[in-house]
């Protein structure tokens, strides 16, 4: 279907500019209507979203005038002089086009970035050789070529269609004339034979257009065969004896005005969602035919004019034949040639423009259009020297083709040298990626050196995963076998989704091969993995092939050998309807979850929304200029939220976005540690995916998905680690940004509960003064005092999906040394290790019903601690709020001077669900499901959790113990955390 940037056909036509036999002033004015609609459409003028129908007008006009011209020559001279015909076409069309092509080639060197410049020079060559439409068909039907900027020469597709029509049509008619040379009534024989052939050809081309509109909108819109029927309609207007149809005058008037009305209606009502050309193209095509017929004068049988010279006084032709429409019609060809490059190159330099600016630029394009018509087009058309001999006109045409081709080749070769080699990157020589932390590449070993980005922009453009034909194209409905690595292994990993899943092929193959597994890739371009109905831009219609492929892929997984792991991923912006998306995911995940194997959702990566390699090619010294806004690059992810809330047991979510788009700052980088991250406007380069392999291995291992990964395999006792952090790192460093996030200030966003809801007096910071690694394998959270104000640290786990497996147990444990301070100096100290229900993060409201498990709390430097469960309602209820179901003070005389293990287990054994608290492996508190109603228990326990470590100062709990922070309270005593571990176990554990 047409889009707001789909250029349409030029008014190349064949009509002469001076009055002579066959000249139609109303058709010259009709060209003005068509080109103004096209220009308004390209300028995005409101209310003219269907201006692209100008293409139909121009094609019908061309078919009518060219056929009439050739037919008159055949009838009057008995032959068609092809040399003369092509000479006229060459000097009429090609020189003006050559001027524009040359100007674009030169302007592109100044206004476009190097990578875009090389592609532009290829466009110049294709446009000069009249094959532009097929180049753009290939680009627009290739899903992997999507995401590039618009070409300033995209509008040359329709000039190529017209030139191809001329090359085909003129020799064909000449052949009919030659075959009829001996016929007694040559004119009638030629007309009859050509009419029958044209009618059959037009009908066949129309059927083909309908089929292609349903299968590939780009091929239907840009392809010559699917447009032939519109030339054929124009040809039939010239071939059939319309001059003999002497219907009543009002009928002719009505025909013309009805055609004009239908044409304007199309321009106003059609839009980018109109399946085009298809049946919709019938309306503007037949409307144009009606306007031409209404102005057709009575003619004698030999085709010479013998009717009235001018249009009917009351017909639409009278309006079209006015001075202004005819002036615009004469300018229409060169204006069409110039306006699109002006718009595209201006946006390449200035960025996206609104419709008013585009309209102003379109008006400004009149100046070069007038100059080209005045000093190039008209002198060559009317030159007696050039027109005297056909070979001279043909020589002009050959020169008009050769000059821009040579210019483009010179410019393109120069730019390719500037961009460097395009050979693929050797991924074996890439620097090692970091498994954790804020950096993409490991800082161990050889230090990073400055240098060019990897891959280079020209390499990035082709840096696809090496999975061959396994990322299937839109028309395909079933994936090939696509087994990689240890293909004969009974163990296999499945990579399932769209191209945003396919971008992870290389790291998944590496992880599978390391374990001796097979990797099965089931990936389809542009096909949402959640069950959604979408329109595919390459096909231009509802993506039925996606639905068929998805069903087939799920059936193959569920009916085939049981996989060890299923990794799923998908673009997260097929719809902005969050409920619809959530339902679509539920339908897709249902058969996968029934398998009972680990399912990992790899969250969608940032979508830049602009051509990153092209941008970087123009900013090699400062790739930071190609950064893009986080707010538009990352959309809300309902699936990730549901997984985090524990609503989809058996499904885990992992994300590399904290390193691809660090939480600090409003922008996401295009280049990180010299690695060019994106190959287009949405997909990672294969190089970026490869260096992310160690990070993915850690994330998948922590999610319990990779047997053989660190901490992933179940031990002899059946426990499987899903998180472990031993806080290794240099002194003063931050804790892992992949695992932890900071709470800042005195409350959550929106401040639903000031002072964190507990009356604390500190301000939480992300400063190393308050939260840091000690360089000896421990995390320190340190309260400080400055200018009489208290500051401290509070961190949360990034993951909020920690939950027991169905019917199983989850254990959360930390080795902690409490702040080594007691007595009056410890007044107000409140260290804590605790959890909250994931749903709280949706708006930071809903406490205490979302559930809170306090694994360890201690106040005022006492040699005691306690554990608690909060749930139900804020005052009273089954959890006796606000105190909660607490263990009461538990003695722990050595907890300030050494590390001790504090743990909680959430046990979902059917019929015996409970929560248990431990100190150094000894149970000191437990709360069973029988303690409260089922609804309260469910809301408190049956979901995901996130972890919190903090040291508060002051507040309700220290005050209830009899002390609060004051002048005698000593700052600087840290709570130290040696490790935090979350583990799960299938089945039942009872103590």
């Amino acid at each position: 279907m047409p889009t707001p940037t789909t250029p349409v056909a030029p008014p190349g036509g064949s009509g002469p500019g001076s009055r002579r036999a066959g000249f139609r002033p109303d058709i010259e004015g009709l060209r003005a209507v068509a080109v103004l609609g096209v220009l308004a459409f390209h300028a995005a003028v409101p209310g003219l979203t269907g201006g692209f129908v100008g293409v139909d007008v121009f094609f019908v006009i061309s078919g009518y005038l060219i056929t009439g011209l050739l037919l008159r020559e055949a009838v009057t001279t008995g032959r068609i002089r092809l040399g003369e015909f092509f000479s006229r076409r060459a000097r009429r069309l090609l020189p003006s086009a050559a001027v524009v092509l040359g100007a674009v080639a030169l302007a592109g060197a100044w206004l476009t970035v190097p990578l875009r410049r090389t592609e532009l020079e290829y466009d110049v060559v294709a446009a000069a050789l009249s094959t532009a439409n097929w180049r753009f068909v290939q680009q627009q039907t290739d899903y992997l070529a999507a995401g590039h900027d618009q070409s300033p020469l995209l509008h040359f597709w329709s000039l190529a269609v017209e030139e191809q029509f001329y090359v085909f049509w003129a020799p064909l008619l000449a052949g009919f004339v030659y075959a009829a040379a001996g016929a007694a009534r040559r004119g009638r024989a030629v007309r009859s034979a050509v009419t029958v052939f044209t009618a059959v050809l037009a009908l066949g081309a129309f059927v083909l257009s309908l089929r292609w509109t349903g299968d590939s909108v780009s091929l239907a819109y840009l392809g010559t065969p699917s447009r032939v029927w519109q030339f054929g309609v124009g040809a039939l207007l010239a071939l059939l004896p319309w001059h003999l149809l002497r219907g009543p005058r009002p009928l002719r008037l009505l025909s013309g005005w009805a055609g004009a009305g239908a044409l304007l209606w199309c321009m106003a009502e059609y839009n980018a969602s109109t399946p085009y050309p298809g049946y919709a193209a019938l309306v503007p095509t037949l409307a144009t035919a009606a306007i031409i017929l209404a102005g057709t004068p009575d003619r004698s049988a030999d085709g010479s004019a013998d009717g009235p010279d001018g249009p009917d006084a009351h017909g639409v032709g009278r309006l079209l034949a006015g001075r202004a429409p005819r002036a615009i019609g004469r300018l229409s060809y060169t204006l069409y040639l110039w306006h699109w490059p002006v718009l595209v190159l201006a946006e390449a330099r200035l960025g996206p423009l609104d419709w008013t600016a585009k309209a102003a630029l379109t008006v400004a394009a009149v100046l070069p259009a007038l100059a080209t018509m005045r000093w190039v087009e008209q002198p060559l058309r009317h030159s007696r020297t050039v027109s005297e001999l056909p070979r001279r006109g043909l020589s002009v045409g050959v020169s008009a083709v050769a000059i821009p081709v040579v210019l483009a080749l010179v410019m393109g070769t120069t730019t390719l040298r500037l961009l460097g080699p395009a050979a693929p990157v050797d991924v074996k020589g890439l620097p090692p990626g970091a498994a954790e932390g804020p950096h993409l590449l490991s800082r161990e070993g050889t230090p990073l050196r400055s240098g060019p980005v990897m891959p280079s922009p020209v390499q990035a453009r082709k840096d696809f995963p090496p999975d061959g034909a396994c990322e299937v194209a839109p028309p395909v409905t079933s994936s090939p076998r696509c087994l990689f690595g240890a293909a004969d292994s009974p163990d296999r990993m499945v990579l399932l989704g769209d191209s945003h899943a396919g971008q992870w092929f290389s790291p998944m193959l590496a992880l599978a091969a390391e374990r001796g597994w097979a990797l099965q890739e089931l990936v389809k371009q542009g096909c949402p993995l959640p069950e959604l109905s979408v329109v595919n831009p390459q096909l231009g219609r509802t993506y039925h092939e996606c639905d068929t492929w998805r069903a087939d892929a799920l059936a193959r997984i569920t009916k085939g050998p049981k996989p060890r792991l299923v990794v799923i991923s998908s673009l997260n912006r097929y719809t902005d309807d969050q409920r619809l998306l959530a339902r679509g995911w539920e339908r897709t995940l249902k058969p996968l979850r029934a398998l009972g194997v680990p399912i990992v959702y790899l969250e969608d990566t940032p979508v830049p929304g602009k051509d990153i390699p092209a941008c970087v090619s123009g900013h090699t010294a400062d790739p930071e200029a190609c950064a893009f806004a986080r707010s538009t690059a990352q959309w809300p992810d309902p699936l990730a939220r549901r997984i985090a809330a524990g609503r989809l047991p058996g499904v885990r979510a992992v994300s590399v976005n904290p390193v691809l788009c660090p939480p600090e700052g409003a922008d996401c980088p295009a280049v990180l540690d010299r690695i060019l991250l994106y190959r287009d406007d949405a997909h990672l380069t294969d190089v970026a995916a490869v260096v992310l392999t160690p990070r993915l291995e850690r994330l998948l291992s922590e999610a319990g998905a990779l047997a053989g990964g660190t901490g992933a395999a179940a031990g002899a006792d059946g426990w499987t680690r899903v998180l472990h952090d031993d806080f290794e790192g240099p002194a003063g460093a931050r804790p892992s940004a992949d695992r932890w996030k900071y709470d800042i200030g005195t409350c959550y966003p929106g401040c639903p509960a000031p002072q964190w809801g507990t009356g604390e007096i500190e301000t939480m910071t992300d400063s190393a003064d308050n939260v840091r690694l000690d360089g000896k394998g421990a995390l320190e959270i340190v309260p400080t005092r400055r200018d009489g104000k208290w500051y401290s640290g509070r961190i949360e786990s990034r993951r909020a999906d920690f939950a027991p497996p169905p019917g199983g147990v989850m254990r959360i444990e930390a080795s902690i040394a409490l702040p080594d301070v007691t007595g009056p100096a410890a007044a107000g100290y409140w260290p804590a290790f605790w959890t909250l229900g994931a749903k709280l993060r949706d708006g930071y409201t809903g406490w205490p019903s979302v559930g809170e498990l306090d694994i360890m709390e201690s106040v005022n430097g006492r040699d005691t601690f306690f554990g608690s469960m909060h749930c139900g309602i804020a005052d009273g209820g089954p959890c006796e709020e606000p105190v909660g179901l607490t263990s009461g003070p538990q003695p722990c005389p050595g907890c300030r001077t050494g590390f001790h293990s504090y743990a909680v287990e959430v046990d979902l054994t059917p019929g015996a669900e409970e929560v248990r608290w431990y100190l150094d492996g000894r149970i000191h508190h437990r709360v069973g499901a029988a303690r409260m109603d089922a609804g309260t228990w469910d809301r408190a326990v049956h979901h995901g959790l996130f972890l919190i470590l903090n040291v508060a100062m002051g507040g309700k709990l220290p005050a209830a113990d009899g002390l609060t922070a004051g002048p005698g309270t000593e700052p600087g005593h840290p709570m130290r955390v040696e490790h935090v571990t979350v583990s799960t176990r299938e089945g039942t554990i009872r103590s």
Side-chain angles (χ1 to χ4, degrees):
M1 72 188 65
T3 66
T5 51
T6 304
V8 296
S14 62
S18 59
R19 187 179 299 272
R20 63 176 183 266
F23 176 66
R24 291 277 301 274
D26 57 326
I27 290 182
E28 192 168 59
L30 182 57
R31 281 201 182 106
V33 174
V35 78
L36 289 176
V38 171
L39 268 56
F41 167 66
H42 285 164
V45 174
L48 288 172
T49 55
F52 56 81
V53 299
V55 67
D56 309 79
V57 177
F58 289 130
F59 285 167
V60 174
I61 290 174
S62 291
Y64 173 73
L65 294 178
I66 288 292
T67 304
L69 176 72
L70 294 172
L71 189 62
R72 283 192 297 273
E73 182 180 7
V75 171
T76 56
T77 68
R79 63 193 178 101
I80 293 177
R81 295 169 295 176
L82 293 177
E84 177 63 29
F85 172 79
F86 287 116
S87 174
R88 287 196 303 267
R89 300 279 64 72
R91 67 176 189 263
R92 163 73 173 90
L93 301 175
L94 298 183
S96 297
V99 170
V100 174
L101 292 176
V104 169
L106 294 173
W110 173 51
L111 295 174
T112 62
V113 295
L115 187 57
R116 188 69 197 92
R117 199 177 305 154
T118 61
E119 295 166 349
L120 177 58
E121 305 309 334
Y122 287 122
D123 293 346
V124 170
V125 173
L129 296 176
S130 297
T131 58
N133 63 319
W134 297 113
R135 171 168 169 78
F136 297 130
V137 164
Q138 187 277 327
Q139 288 181 347
Q140 294 188 16
T141 55
D142 182 2
Y143 179 86
L144 298 178
H148 301 179
D149 294 333
Q150 291 285 353
S151 170
L153 299 176
L154 186 53
H155 65 323
F156 266 75
W157 76 268
S158 46
L159 179 59
V161 170
E162 288 214 22
E163 292 291 350
Q164 292 161 29
F165 167 70
Y166 299 152
V167 169
F168 161 76
W169 195 239
L172 183 67
L173 293 189
F176 277 107
V177 172
Y178 178 80
R185 295 177 176 269
R186 182 180 54 225
R188 180 173 296 178
V190 170
R191 188 187 297 271
S192 299
V194 174
T195 299
V196 172
F197 177 82
T198 302
V200 173
L201 178 66
L203 181 61
F206 179 66
V207 172
L208 180 65
S209 176
L210 295 179
R211 178 175 178 180
W212 281 0
T213 302
D215 292 340
S216 175
V217 68
S218 297
L219 186 59
Y221 195 86
L222 304 175
T224 305
S226 62
R227 293 293 192 166
V228 164
W229 70 276
Q230 295 177 302
F231 292 100
V233 169
L236 290 173
L237 293 176
L239 289 166
L240 294 173
W242 304 105
H243 59 283
L244 300 179
L245 298 178
R246 303 181 182 275
R249 180 169 171 266
L251 186 60
R252 292 168 63 91
L253 293 176
L254 180 61
S255 172
W257 285 111
L263 195 58
L264 294 176
W265 177 83
C266 291
M267 291 183 178
E269 294 299 322
Y270 285 5
N271 55 45
S273 65
T274 305
Y276 212 81
Y279 286 108
L282 277 173
V283 180
T285 301
L286 298 181
T288 303
I291 295 171
I292 294 175
L293 280 179
T296 301
D298 292 339
R299 295 176 181 274
S300 61
D302 66 359
S304 62
D306 64 2
D309 189 51
D312 192 293
H314 301 288
V316 69
R318 182 61 176 264
L319 180 63
L320 294 174
R323 180 175 297 179
R326 288 184 58 194
I328 297 172
R330 283 192 295 273
L331 184 64
S332 59
Y333 178 56
T334 54
L335 179 57
Y336 181 85
L337 289 178
W338 277 107
H339 86 284
W340 183 250
V342 168
L343 288 177
V344 174
L345 292 174
E347 287 200 310
R349 191 71 172 182
L350 304 174
L353 303 172
D354 61 20
W355 77 268
T356 55
K358 289 182 177 180
L361 287 169
T362 301
V363 172
V366 169
L367 296 177
L370 280 170
T372 305
M373 184 180 70
R374 172 66 179 82
W375 289 306
V376 178
E377 178 186 330
Q378 290 183 345
L380 287 172
R381 287 181 64 193
H382 301 301
S383 169
R384 303 182 84 179
T385 301
V386 175
S387 60
E388 186 176 17
L389 295 174
R391 65 174 178 269
R392 294 175 182 173
L394 294 173
S395 298
V396 169
V398 170
S399 300
V401 170
I403 291 173
V405 167
V406 171
L407 182 61
L409 292 176
V410 171
M411 299 291 294
T413 302
T414 303
T415 305
L416 284 174
R417 290 199 191 100
L418 176 67
L419 287 170
V425 175
D426 181 8
V427 295
K428 295 180 180 178
L430 292 174
E436 58 184 335
H439 301 292
L440 181 65
L441 299 181
S442 172
R443 262 48 183 172
E444 299 178 1
T446 306
L448 293 174
R449 297 185 176 90
S450 60
V453 299
M454 298 181 294
S456 70
V458 68
Q459 291 171 321
R461 181 71 90 221
K462 301 294 184 182
D463 196 28
F464 301 111
D467 54 357
C470 287
E471 187 171 318
V472 298
V476 181
T477 57
S478 179
S479 289
R481 183 167 179 259
C482 290
L483 279 177
F484 299 88
D488 296 330
S489 171
D491 298 319
R492 66 189 173 105
M493 176 194 304
V494 176
L495 178 60
L496 175 67
D498 63 3
S499 59
H500 281 233
Q503 67 186 356
W504 298 115
F505 171 80
S506 291
M508 293 306 158
L509 178 58
L511 296 179
E514 183 180 337
R515 289 156 178 80
W517 297 357
L519 173 67
Q520 181 179 22
E521 184 185 32
L522 298 172
V523 167
K524 182 171 175 61
Q525 298 168 359
C527 179
L529 188 55
E531 193 173 308
L532 299 171
S533 179
V534 296
V535 172
N536 180 269
Q538 281 72 44
L539 300 177
R541 55 169 171 77
T542 301
Y543 200 2
H544 302 298
E545 291 85 351
C546 173
D547 301 328
T548 304
W549 174 88
R550 187 192 304 111
D552 177 76
L554 292 174
R556 288 168 65 175
I557 296 172
T558 56
K559 295 178 181 178
K562 191 174 183 178
R564 292 287 299 269
L565 169 64
V566 178
V567 177
I568 61 174
S569 191
S570 182
L571 177 69
N572 184 38
R573 50 185 65 203
Y574 287 105
T575 176
D576 56 4
D577 186 330
Q578 299 295 297
R579 292 184 179 179
L580 181 65
L581 184 57
R583 288 196 298 269
W585 274 117
E586 287 177 0
R587 288 191 290 267
T588 296
L589 287 172
K590 183 177 180 180
L592 295 177
R593 293 174 63 200
L595 290 170
V597 302
I599 301 170
V600 174
Y601 171 53
L602 191 47
E603 294 182 31
D604 193 19
T605 49
V607 175
K610 64 180 180 180
D611 190 342
I612 292 297
C615 180
V616 172
S617 75
H619 296 87
T620 53
D622 60 330
E624 295 82 5
C626 298
F628 48 93
R630 176 202 310 278
S631 58
T632 56
Q634 292 184 276
W635 281 22
D637 193 329
L639 179 59
R641 286 202 304 264
R642 287 181 61 80
I643 294 172
R647 298 300 183 189
L648 294 169
V651 184
R652 295 289 183 261
V654 301
S655 175
V656 296
N657 292 345
V659 68
L660 292 180
C661 191
E664 300 82 11
D667 291 336
C668 304
V671 175
L672 198 60
D673 286 352
R674 290 177 39 227
I675 300 296
L676 180 50
L677 298 177
Y678 302 93
R679 70 174 188 248
D680 49 28
D681 66 343
H683 300 86
L684 295 179
T685 59
D686 192 53
V687 166
V690 168
V691 298
L692 282 165
T693 302
R695 189 176 301 264
L696 282 170
E697 182 171 26
R698 177 183 62 78
L699 291 171
L700 292 172
S701 296
E702 290 178 352
L706 281 181
T710 302
D717 57 359
W719 287 102
T720 300
R721 276 185 186 176
V722 296
L723 172 71
H724 179 75
D725 196 337
D726 54 12
F727 301 109
E728 293 290 343
R734 292 169 173 260
S736 168
D738 289 337
R739 297 188 179 114
W740 304 99
K741 57 184 288 189
Y742 290 90
D743 290 330
I744 304 296
T746 60
C747 52
Y748 280 121
C751 216
Q755 296 178 284
W756 302 109
T758 58
E760 303 165 27
I761 63 173
E762 84 289 338
T763 297
M764 297 298 185
T765 81
D766 61 354
S767 168
D769 292 339
N770 300 114
V771 182
R772 64 192 177 226
L773 303 184
D774 68 356
K776 301 175 183 178
L779 169 74
E780 294 184 334
I781 301 181
V782 192
T784 59
R785 185 169 56 199
R786 187 172 65 253
D787 299 328
K789 295 182 178 180
W790 284 95
Y791 300 88
S792 190
R794 171 174 165 142
I795 61 173
E796 298 179 359
S797 63
R798 287 200 175 272
R799 287 182 59 179
D801 61 347
F802 297 117
V809 187
M810 173 179 64
R811 181 182 180 90
I812 302 171
E813 181 178 7
S815 178
I816 299 174
L818 299 181
D820 191 10
V821 59
T822 190
Y829 267 77
W830 184 4
F833 173 43
W834 49 303
T835 77
L836 280 171
K839 189 175 181 182
L840 191 81
R841 282 186 174 171
D842 289 343
Y844 298 103
T845 59
W847 187 92
S849 65
V850 296
E852 174 182 327
L853 301 178
D854 299 326
I855 306 168
M856 182 284 297
E857 292 184 278
S858 181
V859 295
N860 298 327
R862 307 290 190 196
D863 288 332
T864 60
F865 76 98
F866 46 87
S868 304
M869 178 175 182
H870 295 276
C871 61
I873 58 177
D875 188 9
C879 281
E880 303 172 13
E881 298 299 346
V883 176
L885 302 176
T886 178
S887 68
Q890 300 292 310
C892 190
C895 288
R896 290 184 290 103
T897 57
F899 289 98
H900 289 264
S901 172
Y902 302 88
V904 68
E905 288 182 357
V906 181
D907 188 344
L908 298 186
T909 299
E913 294 190 9
E914 69 173 2
V915 180
R916 298 181 290 270
W917 283 257
Y918 294 80
L919 172 64
D920 294 328
R922 176 184 61 84
I923 293 179
H924 66 84
H925 182 47
R926 61 205 313 163
V927 175
R931 187 76 176 265
M932 63 196 71
D933 63 276
T936 300
W937 179 262
D938 177 69
R939 289 188 293 273
V941 175
H942 290 173
H943 51 63
L945 305 173
F946 61 92
L947 316 183
I948 305 173
L949 291 160
N950 73 283
V951 178
M953 294 303 297
K956 297 176 183 178
L957 198 57
D961 184 62
L963 295 174
T964 188
T969 305
E970 291 183 4
H973 295 282
M975 176 177 78
R976 297 190 298 145
V977 185
E978 194 174 43
H979 71 80
V980 174
T981 303
V982 181
S983 305
T984 60
R985 181 173 177 173
E986 305 287 341
T988 304
I989 295 178
R990 297 306 309 271
S991 299

